[in-house]
Amino acid sequence: MSAANAELGHALRELMQREGPIPFARFMKEALYHPAHGYYSSGRCAIGRRGDYFTSVSVGPLFGRMLAAQFAEIWEMLDRPNEFTIVEQGAHDGAFAADVLEALQTRAPECFAAARYRIVEPFPVLRLRQEETLRAFADKVDWLAEVEPFCGVYFANELLDALPVHLVIAKASEWHERFVGLGDGGFVFTDQPVANERLRERLTKIPSPEGPYETEINLAALDWLETLAPKLQRGVILVADYGLARADYYAPARTTGTLQSYSEQRVLPSPLENAGSADLTAHVEWTSLAERAVECGLTIAGFTDQHHFLTGLLAGNPALAAAENSRALQTLLHPEFMGTKFQFLGLAKDFTGSLGGFRFARDHRSTLDF
């Protein structure tokens, strides 16, 4: 066990000794975002082929270049404003931002001139990495602790899957919430009747299971959207992540949920293992997110998998399919790699027209079933 891992373990044990067992969502929040020892907040998160997990940004600059084409199209559809804000949350080391700004500077100079890139980053260690990566664009980038009102586009890649989730388990057809407490060998699960009213309300949307069943409820994602929606004055929110529509997410056959813990490209046996040194992640349940977006005054601009989204962008920007990009394209588009694993959800306010990325998308109402 690393020193940082041991320090987080000690902090969690002290917390449980004071308060007793804590909801898994609290455990996950501390494991990932504890101010000093969390997996993300401490900067120990490792992404890429030699890291704990792999993202579309890890493939190389092509992903950023393709999204830059989508951002430039949004700028055009907003009637080319003189001030165009690109907000990114979950920017890791800043590589995506650098790829986007470089592509705009080269391929869409007028959009680049109007653009201001704002990174929402509460953790100093990650901001320092981003500043180093983005040194060439220092006059274009600002850092924020939270999203401020903006006109333009908000983008998040693999942010929502790392928000803390509540674990629930059905016992004799009755729901219980999973808590984490102290056992002889370390942290252990302990189950309690569901007391959280918001959690109880969300459970009414899930069919009652007939046998043993465990799954996740992501209240934090709904809170994130409720906070973000009023900040968008005009433009688009674009979210890329891996997930499922509600009917598939809570299908009767999916009896063990989607929660996993990753370290060095492998799945750990338990999400309670290596807290602070491993990534904890759960799939996004897209239907509830889309429903909450509409409740918050947003419209659905589109929903599709990464294969169809990026293919839509290629149709409008054929130069991106150059021969030197062929290997990266195969990784990003192929169904056996990332093509169908990831999805894109577009949300809009005071914005008309169809985004190129959703050119080949099916109707979102049938796909999301709401």
Side-chain angles (χ1 to χ4, degrees), residues 165 213 215-218 243-251 254 257-259 282-286:
V165 295
Y213 192 90
T215 191
E216 311 90 25
I217 303 285
N218 195 335
L244 301 160
R246 186 160 56 215
D248 291 329
Y249 199 106
Y250 298 119
R254 196 179 298 280
T258 70
L259 177 71
H283 282 46
V284 178
E285 195 264 272
W286 291 112

Side-chain angles (χ1 to χ4, degrees), residues 21 114 178 189 292 305 323 350:
R178 308 218 76 178
F189 281 119
R292 185 57 53 90
D305 61 48
D350 192 18

Side-chain angles (χ1 to χ4, degrees), residues 67 79 131 192:
L67 268 296
D79 298 323
E131 289 176 343
Q192 300 182 17

Side-chain angles (χ1 to χ4, degrees), residues 12-92:
L12 286 168
R13 284 191 293 273
E14 285 191 334
L15 173 64
M16 294 173 193
Q17 287 166 354
R18 290 195 310 270
E19 301 183 10
I22 59 175
F24 177 78
R26 176 79 180 277
F27 177 89
M28 184 172 175
K29 180 180 179 181
E30 296 294 328
L32 297 181
Y33 305 113
H34 182 282
H37 310 305
Y39 176 72
Y40 287 110
S41 52
S42 67
R44 283 196 303 280
C45 50
I47 299 175
R49 297 187 186 280
R50 294 184 175 86
D52 295 322
Y53 60 95
F54 197 71
T55 73
S56 295
V57 180
S58 310
V59 174
L62 181 61
F63 185 71
R65 292 171 184 168
M66 298 182 83
L67 268 296
Q70 181 63 93
F71 298 166
E73 181 188 56
I74 292 171
W75 176 70
E76 294 277 359
M77 297 173 76
L78 288 171
D79 298 323
R80 302 164 66 95
N82 293 328
E83 296 182 4
F84 178 65
T85 302
I86 301 171
V87 182
E88 184 186 1
Q89 191 168 359
H92 189 54

Side-chain angles (χ1 to χ4, degrees), residues 71-322:
F71 298 166
E73 181 188 56
I74 292 171
W75 176 70
E76 294 277 359
M77 297 173 76
L78 288 171
D79 298 323
R80 302 164 66 95
N82 293 328
E83 296 182 4
F84 178 65
T85 302
I86 301 171
V87 182
E88 184 186 1
Q89 191 168 359
H92 189 54
D93 64 358
F96 175 81
D99 295 337
V100 166
L101 288 168
E102 184 177 311
L104 290 177
Q105 186 177 43
T106 303
R107 297 176 170 82
E110 291 179 281
C111 178
F112 177 79
R116 191 74 198 174
Y117 207 103
R118 290 179 172 161
I119 296 176
V120 180
E121 184 53 74
F123 305 123
V125 65
L126 295 181
R127 174 170 171 170
L128 287 173
R129 293 179 187 176
Q130 294 157 11
E131 289 176 343
E132 179 64 25
T133 302
L134 291 161
R135 185 180 297 178
F137 299 105
D139 61 337
K140 278 286 179 184
V141 185
D142 299 316
W143 279 264
L144 309 172
E146 58 185 29
V147 182
E148 297 178 352
F150 70 99
C151 171
V153 60
Y154 170 102
F155 181 71
N157 181 55
E158 293 196 54
L159 172 72
L160 302 187
D161 66 88
L163 295 181
V165 295
H166 291 264
L167 285 186
V168 291
I169 186 168
K171 295 183 176 182
S173 298
E174 292 187 5
W175 289 109
H176 289 69
E177 183 175 4
R178 308 218 76 178
F179 281 60
V180 181
L182 297 173
D184 293 338
F187 301 120
V188 295
F189 281 119
T190 176
D191 304 329
Q192 300 182 17
V194 179
N196 184 316
E197 288 300 321
R198 291 184 65 205
L199 192 56
R200 291 172 67 91
E201 187 275 330
R202 298 308 301 178
L203 285 168
T204 63
K205 298 182 178 293
I206 304 175
S208 298
E210 298 180 357
Y213 192 90
E214 182 176 338
T215 191
E216 311 90 25
I217 303 285
N218 195 335
L219 298 179
L222 303 180
D223 294 341
W224 160 83
L225 188 53
E226 287 181 356
T227 300
L228 176 61
K231 301 295 179 66
L232 174 62
Q233 298 174 327
R234 183 170 177 242
V236 175
I237 295 168
L238 195 58
V239 182
D241 222 314
Y242 45 88
L244 301 160
R246 186 160 56 215
D248 291 329
Y249 199 106
Y250 298 119
R254 196 179 298 280
T255 58
T256 57
T258 70
L259 177 71
Q260 290 186 319
S261 178
Y262 281 93
S263 179
E264 298 178 347
Q265 306 285 347
R266 64 187 181 91
V267 179
L268 300 181
S270 168
L272 305 184
E273 185 177 322
N274 284 6
S277 295
D279 185 33
L280 288 169
T281 175
H283 282 46
V284 178
E285 195 264 272
W286 291 112
T287 304
S288 291
L289 201 65
E291 288 175 342
R292 185 57 53 90
V294 173
E295 292 169 1
C296 291
L298 302 174
T299 58
I300 310 298
F303 177 75
T304 193
D305 61 48
Q306 180 162 295
H307 171 86
H308 286 89
F309 186 86
L310 297 184
T311 300
L313 294 180
L314 286 174
N317 302 272
L320 291 170

